[in-house]
């Protein structure tokens, strides 16, 4: 089976709260989100906390992601990191 694209995973999450889809999103993007937070915060512990907050924000979404999922997560990670500072 081919891997589902990001938009399809996001759709499965927002429409039916499919936890497998959400877990796949986290698996795909956790490294990127953490790296973004780490780069802004320059602190491992804060970066881990803020990265987790980014995925909590995604868990609460219901269609706010209009662009690429990776781009949206990067934007959220950057903003939440700046807010932490």
């Amino acid at each position: 089976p081919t891997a589902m694209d990001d938009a399809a995973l996001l759709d499965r999450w927002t429409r039916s709260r499919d936890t497998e889809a959400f877990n796949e999103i986290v698996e795909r993007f956790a490294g990127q989100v953490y790296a973004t937070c780490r780069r802004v915060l320059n602190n491992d512990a804060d970066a881990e906390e803020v990265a987790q907050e980014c995925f909590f924000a995604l868990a609460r979404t219901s269609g706010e992601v209009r662009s690429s999922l990776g781009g949206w997560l990067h934007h959220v990670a950057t903003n939440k990191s700046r807010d932490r500072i």
Side-chain angles (χ1 to χ4, degrees), residues 1-64:
T2 59
M4 192 170 291
D5 74 9
D6 298 338
L9 286 170
L10 182 61
D11 186 59
R12 280 178 46 196
W13 170 248
T14 56
R15 286 180 187 264
S16 61
R17 295 305 193 216
D18 182 326
T19 56
E20 285 182 21
F22 189 82
N23 290 340
E24 178 65 24
I25 291 168
V26 172
E27 191 172 309
R28 287 184 188 185
F29 290 100
Q32 171 198 315
V33 170
Y34 172 78
T36 299
C37 295
R38 179 71 179 79
R39 203 167 28 255
V40 174
L41 294 166
N42 202 30
N43 176 294
D44 291 337
D46 286 345
E48 287 176 20
E49 284 182 25
V50 174
Q52 194 171 39
E53 290 173 17
C54 295
F55 289 104
F56 287 148
L58 179 63
R60 292 187 299 268
T61 62
S62 56
E64 293 101 58

Side-chain angles (χ1 to χ4, degrees), residues 55-76:
F55 289 104
F56 287 148
L58 179 63
R60 292 187 299 268
T61 62
S62 56
E64 293 101 58
V65 181
R66 303 248 187 273
S67 61
S68 76
L69 180 55
W72 185 89
L73 283 166
H74 183 269
H75 179 77
V76 170

